[in-house]
Amino acid sequence: QVQLVESGGGLVQAGGSLRLSCAASGRTFSSYHMGWFHQAPGKEREIVAAISWSSGSTYYADSVKGRFTISRDNAKNTVYLQMNSLKPEDTALYYCAASSTLHTVVVGRPDYWGQGTQVTVSS
């Protein structure tokens, strides 16, 4: 089993930046592909970004391309989401996810979910 704990959420003005972190434990972190999702009130949970275990492949939702960057530090068992040029529509609960394949992360069917961290962008 893998446990995922997100941190770094908060309140930020439109145009500002935040960096989310997801710390993993319980199983070899470097063997998992990782991702970030968000869910706004009344909407479905959506993929934001994903990264392969070796950092060799990344995926971004069209809505965040050019603004967000996913990265990982396997030595620290941590994946990050750097969010720049934030917009009010980015306001959501952000979840970390882990899977044995990159595809299952991208399509929203990961093996493991974190509890989420709230990001609120004010206008």
Side-chain angles (χ1 to χ4, degrees):
Q1 297 293 311
V2 172
Q3 293 80 48
L4 304 172
V5 180
E6 302 96 334
S7 62
L11 176 64
V12 65
Q13 294 281 339
S17 298
L18 285 173
R19 188 177 75 158
L20 306 183
S21 298
C22 174
S25 63
R27 191 73 175 173
T28 303
F29 172 76
S30 61
S31 67
Y32 287 91
H33 308 279
M34 305 294 295
W36 287 97
F37 293 75
H38 67 192
Q39 186 169 24
K43 295 186 176 181
E44 298 289 326
R45 190 173 299 185
E46 298 178 327
I47 181 72
V48 175
I51 188 167
S52 63
W53 71 269
S54 65
S55 300
S57 297
T58 57
Y59 170 89
Y60 295 96
D62 288 342
S63 62
V64 307
K65 287 180 180 177
R67 299 190 297 124
F68 292 8
T69 302
I70 188 169
S71 62
R72 66 192 296 164
D73 186 340
N74 290 345
K76 296 183 177 181
N77 295 335
T78 301
V79 63
Y80 305 95
L81 185 68
Q82 179 66 47
M83 304 185 293
N84 298 326
S85 301
L86 282 161
K87 304 174 180 179
E89 52 262 43
D90 296 319
T91 295
L93 192 63
Y94 282 73
Y95 296 90
C96 180
S99 274
S100 58
T101 70
L102 184 60
H103 179 258
T104 53
V105 175
V106 171
V107 301
R109 306 297 291 178
D111 297 329
Y112 304 101
W113 291 102
Q115 294 299 305
T117 185
Q118 179 67 38
V119 171
T120 302
V121 183
S122 62
S123 61

